[in-house]
Amino acid sequence: MTQYQTVSDNETVLRDGTIKLHGPQAFEGMRRAGRLAAQTLDALAPMVVPGVTTGALDDFVRQFTLDAGAVPATLGYRGYAHSCCISINHVVCHGIPSDKPLKDGDIVNIDVTPLLDGWHGDSSRMYLVGDVPLKARRLVEVTYECLMIGIEQAKPGARVGDIGAAIQAHAEANRYGVVREFCGHGLGRLFHDSPEVVHAGRPGTGPVLKPGMFFTIEPMINLGKPGVKMLDDGWTAVTRDRSLSAQFEHSIGITETGCEIFTLSPKGLHQPPY
């Protein structure tokens, strides 16, 4: 049975399987952290061009985050040595920045999580590098649609399964595969917490959504089949069939009437082309 825990704004929280319910001050903290995540992704838009290395983009994310008075939550997380994840083409998620340059026609996901005043703002966005084929552009468009369709289900009284079912229906209607091995997650004071938000499933299943819940929705949609495999580095997940993959992510909070998206782009750069 799902357990919920009402937490005060400055209370130390543990990852104990409970779903945390937060108050107004916590919402304000998440707004600030989410806005910084979105500002970071906005600032990257003109930089994601052919020839730039993913390492250079990672360096920018780190400095931008530090200059804003925050720290990258991924830096040192379980031994991870970078300030963001950058996933190119058939990389599903958790791509490691390197000296590899981006090429014309690539599609790229950049995932950032600034930790600002104790709150995590987690968001990712797709970028188109140069002249991207129509097939890849369409995958990116549908993946963004999946994110927003999932967010439409996020309201009090709905269930987590309603989010995944809506995403799965839209993706599969376009003959794409929905990744199951990675999912959205609770966040706030903790980087990863309950509930898990799988992007496929049956409506009417899973925990009930209640005001004060914070979590991410971050569908990973493959041009081919949904299967993924891990590379030997222990982080990078790729499509088994080498098909392209795309992902968008927002952090949200459940309100009395629906949900609030904490990571909306201040510049309106929600989906490419930017």
Coordinates of all heavy atoms in Angstrom, one line a residue, residues 4-5 8 23 62 69 71-72 77 92 121 171 178 208 213-214 233:
Y4 N 2.2 7.9 2.2 CA 2.5 9.3 1.9 C 3.0 10.0 3.2 O 2.6 9.6 4.3 CB 1.2 10.1 1.5 CG 0.6 9.5 0.2 CD1 -0.2 8.4 0.2 CD2 1.0 10.1 -1.1 CE1 -0.7 7.9 -1.0 CE2 0.4 9.6 -2.2 CZ -0.4 8.5 -2.2 OH -0.9 8.0 -3.4
Q5 N 3.8 11.0 3.1 CA 4.4 11.6 4.2 C 4.4 13.1 4.0 O 5.0 13.7 3.0 CB 5.9 11.2 4.4 CG 6.6 11.9 5.6 CD 8.1 11.5 5.6 OE1 8.6 10.8 4.8 NE2 8.8 12.0 6.6
S8 N 7.6 19.1 6.4 CA 7.8 20.5 6.6 C 8.9 21.0 5.6 O 9.7 20.2 5.1 CB 8.1 20.9 8.0 OG 9.4 20.2 8.4
G23 N 4.7 21.7 1.1 CA 3.9 22.9 1.3 C 4.3 24.0 0.4 O 5.2 23.9 -0.4
R62 N 28.5 23.4 -16.1 CA 29.1 23.5 -14.7 C 29.3 24.9 -14.3 O 28.9 25.3 -13.2 CB 30.4 22.7 -14.7 CG 31.0 22.8 -13.3 CD 32.2 21.8 -13.2 NE 33.3 22.1 -14.2 CZ 33.5 21.4 -15.3 NH1 32.7 20.4 -15.6 NH2 34.4 21.7 -16.1
G69 N 24.9 30.3 -8.2 CA 24.9 30.0 -6.8 C 24.4 28.6 -6.5 O 24.0 28.3 -5.4
V71 N 24.9 24.1 -7.5 CA 25.9 23.1 -7.9 C 25.2 22.0 -8.8 O 24.0 21.8 -8.6 CB 26.5 22.4 -6.7 CG1 27.3 23.4 -5.9 CG2 25.5 21.7 -5.8
P72 N 25.9 21.4 -9.7 CA 25.3 20.4 -10.5 C 25.1 19.1 -9.7 O 26.1 18.6 -9.1 CB 26.3 20.1 -11.7 CG 27.2 21.3 -11.6 CD 27.2 21.8 -10.2
Y77 N 27.8 12.3 -8.2 CA 26.7 11.5 -7.9 C 27.0 10.0 -8.3 O 27.2 9.7 -9.4 CB 25.4 11.9 -8.6 CG 24.1 11.1 -8.3 CD1 23.5 11.3 -7.1 CD2 23.7 10.2 -9.2 CE1 22.3 10.5 -6.8 CE2 22.5 9.4 -9.0 CZ 21.9 9.6 -7.8 OH 20.7 8.9 -7.5
V92 N 20.0 6.5 -25.3 CA 18.7 6.7 -24.7 C 18.8 7.7 -23.6 O 18.0 8.6 -23.5 CB 18.1 5.4 -24.2 CG1 16.8 5.6 -23.5 CG2 17.9 4.4 -25.4
G121 N 16.3 21.0 -9.4 CA 15.5 21.3 -10.6 C 16.0 20.4 -11.8 O 17.1 20.6 -12.3
A171 N 2.7 7.5 -28.3 CA 3.9 7.0 -28.9 C 3.7 5.8 -29.9 O 4.1 5.8 -31.0 CB 5.0 6.6 -27.9
V178 N 8.4 2.7 -26.5 CA 8.5 3.4 -25.3 C 9.4 2.6 -24.3 O 9.2 1.5 -24.0 CB 7.1 3.6 -24.6 CG1 7.3 4.4 -23.3 CG2 6.1 4.2 -25.5
V208 N -2.0 7.1 -6.1 CA -2.9 8.3 -6.4 C -2.1 9.6 -6.3 O -1.2 9.7 -5.4 CB -4.1 8.3 -5.4 CG1 -4.9 9.6 -5.6 CG2 -4.9 7.1 -5.5
M213 N 2.8 16.6 -4.2 CA 3.8 15.7 -4.7 C 4.6 16.4 -5.8 O 4.1 17.2 -6.6 CB 3.0 14.5 -5.4 CG 2.4 13.5 -4.5 SD 1.4 12.3 -5.3 CE 2.6 11.4 -6.3
F214 N 5.9 16.1 -5.8 CA 6.9 16.6 -6.8 C 7.4 15.4 -7.5 O 7.9 14.4 -6.9 CB 8.1 17.3 -6.1 CG 7.7 18.6 -5.4 CD1 8.6 19.1 -4.4 CD2 6.5 19.3 -5.6 CE1 8.3 20.2 -3.7 CE2 6.2 20.4 -4.9 CZ 7.1 20.9 -4.0
D233 N 30.6 1.2 -19.6 CA 30.9 2.3 -18.7 C 30.0 2.4 -17.5 O 30.2 3.1 -16.5 CB 30.9 3.7 -19.4 CG 29.6 4.1 -20.0 OD1 28.5 3.7 -19.5 OD2 29.6 4.8 -21.1

